[in-house]
Amino acid sequence: MTYRARIAVVTVGALAVLTVAHDKPWRRGNGASLDVGYLPVTCHLTCPVTDFATRTTTTSTRFRSSRFNDFPTVVESLKARQIDATFLLAPLAMVLREQRVPIHIVYLGHRDGSTLIVRKDSTARSIRDLKGKKFARPSRYSNQYLVITKLMEDEGMQPDDIEFVDLPPADMPSTLAAGAIDAYFVGEPYAAKAEMDGTGRVLYYAKDIWPHFVSCVLVVRDELIDEHPEIVRDLVRGIAESGEWAERHRMDAARVAAPYYRQDQKLLEFVLTQPPDRVSYRQLTPTDEDMKAIMHYAIKAGILRGPIDLGDIIDRRFIPEHIEPAKI
């Protein structure tokens, strides 16, 4: 059996994940492997956890988490079919679908897990105090930007009251420390980094502004769904099981992820425990309510032209009814 591109599969317990590169046959035997895209943020923690599980258990195939440093590169890889599955910003996934890129959201990456940081010496006590200030966001297409849009609306502010700049998450702590920006809102651990370094302090947690906040989703190309739905089912189950394991073993999850993220283990331990509900890996089924709220503010922020049919962006067929922790 051949596929028009290389399909690599990995199994971790019930997990099988898939990716595509070009011109090689699909193999489900010894030496087979799979890449799924992620960024080194705690929203995507289940990728390295699953990778580690594959390394430390006896399996005939190998899961590989494919590390990216920014979402534009992820998008180009997804469009080029260098990857068929990846974690992606929720509004960005909607934009791609609006552009007719053949993808579906099949699961969430996390809930909460983002933090608004201001400089340590800032006198700001609310978003209103940042009027006229320079504020960094991961992307115009990030859900963090939509949360700020919502918060500004709730506080009676205008869209141009804050000067927004786009920065890669990894650059935000040092840019804040250098005084080039006044605040930023980002997925962890890049907020906690400034907090631990003593250069920033928390102004808001995402959960305080938008309870059960969703930043990133797991997307899969439609070709994979159509041709190998069993692989997508195993992928979603595996990510779900990795999330449940991380919830029950937070310190161990920090230890596992640190070398993948190339970050200090103590930083990840801080994020996963201070406070314990800073980020959650449970209740990751994408609901209509979740997606409608994101869509509403994406339209308001000018990211989307109009509403998208939820049936055209979400595919929940692969979500398991019962989730057990991954065997690590």
Side-chain angles (χ1 to χ4, degrees):
M1 176 178 180
T2 60
Y3 193 41
R4 75 175 184 83
R6 171 174 62 90
I7 303 180
V9 184
V10 60
T11 302
V12 181
L15 170 65
V17 192
L18 179 112
T19 189
V20 173
H22 293 289
D23 301 327
K24 292 186 179 180
W26 173 39
R27 296 182 299 160
R28 190 194 277 274
N30 291 334
S33 62
L34 159 74
D35 296 342
V36 170
Y38 83 103
L39 267 65
V41 291
T42 52
C43 311
H44 304 177
L45 186 76
T46 49
C47 251
V49 168
T50 306
D51 189 329
F52 181 81
T54 307
R55 289 174 182 265
T56 56
T57 56
T58 303
T59 60
S60 60
T61 51
R62 177 75 177 89
F63 171 80
R64 299 185 305 187
S65 51
S66 184
R67 185 180 186 272
F68 290 82
N69 291 320
D70 59 71
F71 284 111
T73 307
V74 175
V75 169
E76 291 309 309
S77 297
L78 188 64
K79 286 182 175 179
R81 294 208 68 190
Q82 294 169 348
I83 53 174
D84 266 12
T86 187
F87 287 93
L88 202 63
L89 294 162
L92 183 53
M94 291 180 177
V95 168
L96 292 180
R97 191 61 184 176
E98 188 177 59
Q99 296 172 353
R100 310 315 301 170
V101 176
I103 59 171
H104 272 80
I105 295 169
V106 295
Y107 206 50
L108 302 181
H110 69 110
R111 287 191 183 271
D112 304 318
S114 290
T115 308
L116 199 166
I117 290 285
V118 295
R119 289 205 302 267
K120 186 74 171 184
D121 60 358
S122 173
T123 60
R125 291 292 178 266
S126 74
I127 190 69
R128 293 188 303 275
D129 298 325
L130 296 179
K131 186 173 182 179
K133 303 296 185 181
K134 187 171 289 188
F135 190 113
R137 61 190 180 188
S139 163
R140 176 172 176 257
Y141 301 105
S142 65
N143 215 19
Q144 284 85 2
Y145 177 48
L146 301 191
V147 172
I148 296 305
T149 298
K150 175 185 183 302
L151 183 60
M152 291 174 67
E153 181 183 83
D154 291 346
E155 295 294 328
M157 298 177 67
Q158 299 302 311
D160 59 356
D161 281 347
I162 290 176
E163 181 184 353
F164 288 102
V165 296
D166 292 351
L167 277 181
D171 294 343
M172 291 183 181
S174 60
T175 306
L176 184 79
I181 56 174
D182 300 288
Y184 64 86
F185 189 29
V186 72
E188 296 290 3
Y190 297 110
K193 180 70 166 60
E195 194 178 355
M196 288 187 69
D197 288 348
T199 58
R201 64 174 176 83
V202 176
L203 187 61
Y204 299 98
Y205 294 113
K207 62 187 179 65
D208 299 329
I209 306 169
W210 188 326
H212 309 300
F213 165 75
V214 173
S215 172
C216 293
V217 295
L218 178 63
V219 302
V220 174
R221 285 189 63 102
D222 291 352
E223 295 92 338
L224 179 56
I225 292 174
D226 294 340
E227 297 172 21
H228 297 286
E230 75 283 359
I231 299 299
V232 181
R233 182 170 292 105
D234 287 341
L235 164 61
V236 175
R237 182 184 298 112
I239 295 296
E241 291 178 353
S242 292
E244 182 60 27
W245 179 85
E247 280 287 345
R248 301 186 188 193
H249 305 86
R250 285 180 172 256
M251 298 297 276
D252 289 335
R255 176 179 57 82
V256 165
Y260 290 92
Y261 283 13
R262 304 170 199 170
Q263 292 169 352
D264 186 347
Q265 179 179 329
K266 293 186 183 301
L267 173 62
L268 296 179
E269 289 174 351
F270 183 86
V271 170
L272 293 176
T273 61
Q274 303 297 321
D277 62 349
R278 195 167 184 146
V279 58
S280 173
Y281 303 103
R282 287 179 174 146
Q283 298 181 336
L284 300 185
T285 295
T287 67
D288 285 359
E289 182 182 7
D290 291 326
M291 296 301 111
K292 285 179 179 178
I294 293 169
M295 195 182 306
H296 169 78
Y297 285 102
I299 294 169
K300 183 176 287 290
I303 295 172
L304 289 175
R305 292 192 297 267
I308 297 175
D309 181 358
L310 293 180
D312 196 42
I313 187 65
I314 306 172
D315 193 334
R316 303 187 184 94
R317 290 177 292 164
F318 309 106
I319 300 172
E321 292 185 11
H322 305 289
I323 299 171
E324 297 294 331
K327 294 179 173 60
I328 297 178

